[in-house]
PDB file of all heavy atoms in Angstrom:
ATOM      1  N   GLU A   3     291.533 134.605  73.171  1.00 56.00           N
ATOM      2  CA  GLU A   3     291.016 135.332  74.329  1.00 56.00           C
ATOM      3  C   GLU A   3     290.877 136.804  74.006  1.00 56.00           C
ATOM      4  O   GLU A   3     291.682 137.385  73.282  1.00 56.00           O
ATOM      5  CB  GLU A   3     291.962 135.154  75.518  1.00 56.00           C
ATOM      6  CG  GLU A   3     292.044 133.706  75.998  1.00 56.00           C
ATOM      7  CD  GLU A   3     292.934 133.586  77.196  1.00 56.00           C
ATOM      8  OE1 GLU A   3     293.528 134.614  77.588  1.00 56.00           O
ATOM      9  OE2 GLU A   3     293.028 132.472  77.755  1.00 56.00           O
ATOM     10  N   ALA A   4     289.801 137.380  74.574  1.00 53.00           N
ATOM     11  CA  ALA A   4     289.560 138.812  74.355  1.00 53.00           C
ATOM     12  C   ALA A   4     290.618 139.607  75.081  1.00 53.00           C
ATOM     13  O   ALA A   4     291.024 139.275  76.199  1.00 53.00           O
ATOM     14  CB  ALA A   4     288.183 139.201  74.880  1.00 53.00           C
ATOM     15  N   PRO A  25     295.866 166.487  98.393  1.00 76.00           N
ATOM     16  CA  PRO A  25     295.095 165.715  99.391  1.00 76.00           C
ATOM     17  C   PRO A  25     294.699 166.550 100.611  1.00 76.00           C
ATOM     18  O   PRO A  25     293.594 166.415 101.141  1.00 76.00           O
ATOM     19  CB  PRO A  25     296.049 164.586  99.778  1.00 76.00           C
ATOM     20  CG  PRO A  25     297.000 164.465  98.655  1.00 76.00           C
ATOM     21  CD  PRO A  25     297.186 165.865  98.133  1.00 76.00           C
ATOM     22  N   ILE A  26     295.639 167.419 101.044  1.00 79.00           N
ATOM     23  CA  ILE A  26     295.308 168.266 102.199  1.00 79.00           C
ATOM     24  C   ILE A  26     294.167 169.213 101.853  1.00 79.00           C
ATOM     25  O   ILE A  26     293.247 169.442 102.659  1.00 79.00           O
ATOM     26  CB  ILE A  26     296.558 169.047 102.647  1.00 79.00           C
ATOM     27  CG1 ILE A  26     297.631 168.071 103.157  1.00 79.00           C
ATOM     28  CG2 ILE A  26     296.201 170.072 103.719  1.00 79.00           C
ATOM     29  CD1 ILE A  26     298.908 168.744 103.569  1.00 79.00           C
ATOM     30  N   ALA A  27     294.187 169.753 100.649  1.00 76.00           N
ATOM     31  CA  ALA A  27     293.117 170.659 100.224  1.00 76.00           C
ATOM     32  C   ALA A  27     291.773 169.932 100.188  1.00 76.00           C
ATOM     33  O   ALA A  27     290.735 170.479 100.587  1.00 76.00           O
ATOM     34  CB  ALA A  27     293.449 171.248  98.858  1.00 76.00           C
ATOM     35  N   SER A  32     286.461 169.006 102.679  1.00 80.00           N
ATOM     36  CA  SER A  32     285.491 168.086 103.292  1.00 80.00           C
ATOM     37  C   SER A  32     285.127 168.533 104.701  1.00 80.00           C
ATOM     38  O   SER A  32     283.956 168.531 105.094  1.00 80.00           O
ATOM     39  CB  SER A  32     286.076 166.670 103.325  1.00 80.00           C
ATOM     40  OG  SER A  32     286.365 166.216 102.022  1.00 80.00           O
ATOM     41  N   SER A  39     277.475 172.203 107.140  1.00 76.00           N
ATOM     42  CA  SER A  39     276.233 171.442 107.335  1.00 76.00           C
ATOM     43  C   SER A  39     275.773 171.494 108.785  1.00 76.00           C
ATOM     44  O   SER A  39     274.587 171.677 109.075  1.00 76.00           O
ATOM     45  CB  SER A  39     276.439 169.990 106.904  1.00 76.00           C
ATOM     46  OG  SER A  39     276.795 169.905 105.545  1.00 76.00           O
ATOM     47  N   LYS A  44     272.117 173.738 112.937  1.00 72.00           N
ATOM     48  CA  LYS A  44     271.943 174.511 114.162  1.00 72.00           C
ATOM     49  C   LYS A  44     271.081 175.737 113.918  1.00 72.00           C
ATOM     50  O   LYS A  44     270.218 176.085 114.720  1.00 72.00           O
ATOM     51  CB  LYS A  44     273.321 174.912 114.700  1.00 72.00           C
ATOM     52  CG  LYS A  44     273.268 175.651 116.030  1.00 72.00           C
ATOM     53  CD  LYS A  44     274.671 175.973 116.512  1.00 72.00           C
ATOM     54  CE  LYS A  44     274.627 176.728 117.837  1.00 72.00           C
ATOM     55  NZ  LYS A  44     276.006 177.060 118.312  1.00 72.00           N
ATOM     56  N   VAL A  50     263.391 177.224 113.999  1.00 54.00           N
ATOM     57  CA  VAL A  50     262.176 176.505 114.392  1.00 54.00           C
ATOM     58  C   VAL A  50     261.760 176.884 115.804  1.00 54.00           C
ATOM     59  O   VAL A  50     260.577 177.118 116.091  1.00 54.00           O
ATOM     60  CB  VAL A  50     262.382 174.989 114.270  1.00 54.00           C
ATOM     61  CG1 VAL A  50     261.226 174.233 114.920  1.00 54.00           C
ATOM     62  CG2 VAL A  50     262.525 174.579 112.817  1.00 54.00           C
ATOM     63  N   SER A  54     258.404 178.825 116.981  1.00 51.00           N
ATOM     64  CA  SER A  54     257.524 178.242 117.990  1.00 51.00           C
ATOM     65  C   SER A  54     257.206 179.249 119.084  1.00 51.00           C
ATOM     66  O   SER A  54     256.061 179.375 119.526  1.00 51.00           O
ATOM     67  CB  SER A  54     258.177 176.992 118.581  1.00 51.00           C
ATOM     68  OG  SER A  54     257.379 176.446 119.598  1.00 51.00           O
ATOM     69  N   VAL A  57     254.762 181.884 117.671  1.00 51.00           N
ATOM     70  CA  VAL A  57     253.388 181.390 117.608  1.00 51.00           C
ATOM     71  C   VAL A  57     252.769 181.352 118.998  1.00 51.00           C
ATOM     72  O   VAL A  57     251.609 181.729 119.205  1.00 51.00           O
ATOM     73  CB  VAL A  57     253.342 179.991 116.953  1.00 51.00           C
ATOM     74  CG1 VAL A  57     251.956 179.380 117.086  1.00 51.00           C
ATOM     75  CG2 VAL A  57     253.730 180.081 115.489  1.00 51.00           C
ATOM     76  N   LEU A  64     245.831 186.150 128.770  1.00 95.00           N
ATOM     77  CA  LEU A  64     246.205 186.781 130.034  1.00 95.00           C
ATOM     78  C   LEU A  64     244.932 187.331 130.673  1.00 95.00           C
ATOM     79  O   LEU A  64     244.236 188.152 130.070  1.00 95.00           O
ATOM     80  CB  LEU A  64     247.208 187.908 129.807  1.00 95.00           C
ATOM     81  CG  LEU A  64     247.668 188.653 131.062  1.00 95.00           C
ATOM     82  CD1 LEU A  64     248.399 187.699 132.000  1.00 95.00           C
ATOM     83  CD2 LEU A  64     248.568 189.829 130.690  1.00 95.00           C
ATOM     84  N   MET A  81     232.015 193.165 139.041  1.00 95.00           N
ATOM     85  CA  MET A  81     233.334 192.558 138.936  1.00 95.00           C
ATOM     86  C   MET A  81     233.359 191.741 137.652  1.00 95.00           C
ATOM     87  O   MET A  81     232.446 190.951 137.387  1.00 95.00           O
ATOM     88  CB  MET A  81     233.658 191.685 140.143  1.00 95.00           C
ATOM     89  CG  MET A  81     235.064 191.074 140.090  1.00 95.00           C
ATOM     90  SD  MET A  81     235.614 190.377 141.676  1.00 95.00           S
ATOM     91  CE  MET A  81     236.036 191.887 142.565  1.00 95.00           C
ATOM     92  N   ASP A 100     236.243 185.898 150.255  1.00 90.00           N
ATOM     93  CA  ASP A 100     236.770 186.940 151.123  1.00 90.00           C
ATOM     94  C   ASP A 100     237.642 186.297 152.198  1.00 90.00           C
ATOM     95  O   ASP A 100     237.885 185.084 152.181  1.00 90.00           O
ATOM     96  CB  ASP A 100     235.645 187.780 151.725  1.00 90.00           C
ATOM     97  CG  ASP A 100     234.659 186.957 152.544  1.00 90.00           C
ATOM     98  OD1 ASP A 100     235.010 185.824 152.943  1.00 90.00           O
ATOM     99  OD2 ASP A 100     233.530 187.441 152.790  1.00 90.00           O
ATOM    100  N   GLU A 101     238.112 187.107 153.137  1.00 88.00           N
ATOM    101  CA  GLU A 101     239.024 186.594 154.159  1.00 88.00           C
ATOM    102  C   GLU A 101     238.346 185.583 155.082  1.00 88.00           C
ATOM    103  O   GLU A 101     239.013 184.758 155.700  1.00 88.00           O
ATOM    104  CB  GLU A 101     239.580 187.755 154.982  1.00 88.00           C
ATOM    105  CG  GLU A 101     240.468 188.693 154.158  1.00 88.00           C
ATOM    106  CD  GLU A 101     240.988 189.852 154.971  1.00 88.00           C
ATOM    107  OE1 GLU A 101     240.527 190.015 156.115  1.00 88.00           O
ATOM    108  OE2 GLU A 101     241.856 190.590 154.457  1.00 88.00           O
ATOM    109  N   VAL A 125     220.983 189.891 141.452  1.00 88.00           N
ATOM    110  CA  VAL A 125     222.399 189.893 141.098  1.00 88.00           C
ATOM    111  C   VAL A 125     222.567 189.180 139.759  1.00 88.00           C
ATOM    112  O   VAL A 125     222.111 188.050 139.601  1.00 88.00           O
ATOM    113  CB  VAL A 125     223.239 189.189 142.180  1.00 88.00           C
ATOM    114  CG1 VAL A 125     224.706 189.197 141.795  1.00 88.00           C
ATOM    115  CG2 VAL A 125     223.041 189.856 143.527  1.00 88.00           C
ATOM    116  N   SER A 140     235.148 189.709 127.886  1.00 96.00           N
ATOM    117  CA  SER A 140     235.087 189.633 129.345  1.00 96.00           C
ATOM    118  C   SER A 140     233.793 188.950 129.759  1.00 96.00           C
ATOM    119  O   SER A 140     232.850 188.846 128.967  1.00 96.00           O
ATOM    120  CB  SER A 140     235.163 191.036 129.970  1.00 96.00           C
ATOM    121  OG  SER A 140     234.080 191.837 129.534  1.00 96.00           O
ATOM    122  N   ARG A 141     233.775 188.500 131.007  1.00 96.00           N
ATOM    123  CA  ARG A 141     232.587 187.864 131.568  1.00 96.00           C
ATOM    124  C   ARG A 141     232.301 188.490 132.926  1.00 96.00           C
ATOM    125  O   ARG A 141     233.218 188.843 133.673  1.00 96.00           O
ATOM    126  CB  ARG A 141     232.767 186.352 131.691  1.00 96.00           C
ATOM    127  CG  ARG A 141     232.962 185.662 130.349  1.00 96.00           C
ATOM    128  CD  ARG A 141     232.950 184.154 130.491  1.00 96.00           C
ATOM    129  NE  ARG A 141     231.636 183.651 130.797  1.00 96.00           N
ATOM    130  CZ  ARG A 141     230.688 183.435 129.889  1.00 96.00           C
ATOM    131  NH1 ARG A 141     230.912 183.702 128.614  1.00 96.00           N
ATOM    132  NH2 ARG A 141     229.512 182.955 130.257  1.00 96.00           N
ATOM    133  N   PHE A 144     229.920 189.225 138.825  1.00 94.00           N
ATOM    134  CA  PHE A 144     228.647 189.642 139.414  1.00 94.00           C
ATOM    135  C   PHE A 144     228.386 191.107 139.086  1.00 94.00           C
ATOM    136  O   PHE A 144     229.308 191.884 138.847  1.00 94.00           O
ATOM    137  CB  PHE A 144     228.595 189.422 140.939  1.00 94.00           C
ATOM    138  CG  PHE A 144     229.631 190.178 141.719  1.00 94.00           C
ATOM    139  CD1 PHE A 144     229.509 191.541 141.973  1.00 94.00           C
ATOM    140  CD2 PHE A 144     230.738 189.513 142.239  1.00 94.00           C
ATOM    141  CE1 PHE A 144     230.462 192.224 142.703  1.00 94.00           C
ATOM    142  CE2 PHE A 144     231.694 190.198 142.969  1.00 94.00           C
ATOM    143  CZ  PHE A 144     231.557 191.556 143.199  1.00 94.00           C
ATOM    144  N   ASN A 152     215.876 200.964 152.607  1.00 89.00           N
ATOM    145  CA  ASN A 152     215.203 200.147 153.632  1.00 89.00           C
ATOM    146  C   ASN A 152     215.355 198.648 153.386  1.00 89.00           C
ATOM    147  O   ASN A 152     214.701 197.842 154.039  1.00 89.00           O
ATOM    148  CB  ASN A 152     213.710 200.503 153.684  1.00 89.00           C
ATOM    149  CG  ASN A 152     213.031 200.258 152.343  1.00 89.00           C
ATOM    150  OD1 ASN A 152     213.689 200.017 151.330  1.00 89.00           O
ATOM    151  ND2 ASN A 152     211.693 200.332 152.338  1.00 89.00           N
ATOM    152  N   LEU A 156     221.023 195.889 152.004  1.00 92.00           N
ATOM    153  CA  LEU A 156     221.902 197.050 151.870  1.00 92.00           C
ATOM    154  C   LEU A 156     223.201 196.906 152.666  1.00 92.00           C
ATOM    155  O   LEU A 156     224.277 197.220 152.144  1.00 92.00           O
ATOM    156  CB  LEU A 156     221.168 198.327 152.272  1.00 92.00           C
ATOM    157  CG  LEU A 156     221.979 199.626 152.139  1.00 92.00           C
ATOM    158  CD1 LEU A 156     222.442 199.822 150.701  1.00 92.00           C
ATOM    159  CD2 LEU A 156     221.155 200.820 152.609  1.00 92.00           C
ATOM    160  N   GLN A 164     233.129 197.656 150.284  1.00 93.00           N
ATOM    161  CA  GLN A 164     234.352 197.963 151.017  1.00 93.00           C
ATOM    162  C   GLN A 164     235.411 196.869 150.865  1.00 93.00           C
ATOM    163  O   GLN A 164     236.614 197.155 150.859  1.00 93.00           O
ATOM    164  CB  GLN A 164     234.031 198.159 152.517  1.00 93.00           C
ATOM    165  CG  GLN A 164     233.140 199.354 152.807  1.00 93.00           C
ATOM    166  CD  GLN A 164     233.808 200.676 152.443  1.00 93.00           C
ATOM    167  OE1 GLN A 164     235.010 200.836 152.627  1.00 93.00           O
ATOM    168  NE2 GLN A 164     233.025 201.612 151.928  1.00 93.00           N
ATOM    169  N   HIS A 186     246.814 184.336 140.499  1.00 94.00           N
ATOM    170  CA  HIS A 186     246.166 184.866 141.698  1.00 94.00           C
ATOM    171  C   HIS A 186     245.932 186.367 141.539  1.00 94.00           C
ATOM    172  O   HIS A 186     245.707 187.068 142.531  1.00 94.00           O
ATOM    173  CB  HIS A 186     247.023 184.577 142.933  1.00 94.00           C
ATOM    174  CG  HIS A 186     247.197 183.120 143.208  1.00 94.00           C
ATOM    175  ND1 HIS A 186     246.217 182.339 143.790  1.00 94.00           N
ATOM    176  CD2 HIS A 186     248.234 182.278 142.944  1.00 94.00           C
ATOM    177  CE1 HIS A 186     246.645 181.093 143.890  1.00 94.00           C
ATOM    178  NE2 HIS A 186     247.856 181.027 143.387  1.00 94.00           N
ATOM    179  N   VAL A 195     251.597 175.461 134.899  1.00 96.00           N
ATOM    180  CA  VAL A 195     251.291 174.176 135.537  1.00 96.00           C
ATOM    181  C   VAL A 195     251.040 173.145 134.440  1.00 96.00           C
ATOM    182  O   VAL A 195     250.660 173.502 133.322  1.00 96.00           O
ATOM    183  CB  VAL A 195     250.046 174.279 136.462  1.00 96.00           C
ATOM    184  CG1 VAL A 195     250.338 175.136 137.685  1.00 96.00           C
ATOM    185  CG2 VAL A 195     248.849 174.833 135.707  1.00 96.00           C
ATOM    186  N   CYS A 198     245.254 171.889 134.691  1.00 95.00           N
ATOM    187  CA  CYS A 198     244.433 172.666 135.618  1.00 95.00           C
ATOM    188  C   CYS A 198     243.607 171.713 136.489  1.00 95.00           C
ATOM    189  O   CYS A 198     242.502 171.318 136.099  1.00 95.00           O
ATOM    190  CB  CYS A 198     243.527 173.620 134.862  1.00 95.00           C
ATOM    191  SG  CYS A 198     244.358 175.095 134.244  1.00 95.00           S
TER     192      CYS A 198
END
Side-chain angles (χ1 to χ4, degrees):
E3 295 182 356
I26 295 178
S32 300
S39 300
K44 184 178 179 181
V50 169
S54 177
V57 171
L64 180 63
M81 182 166 283
D100 59 18
E101 294 179 351
V125 180
S140 60
R141 297 188 71 82
F144 61 77
N152 60 349
L156 182 59
Q164 295 296 323
H186 297 283
V195 291
C198 283

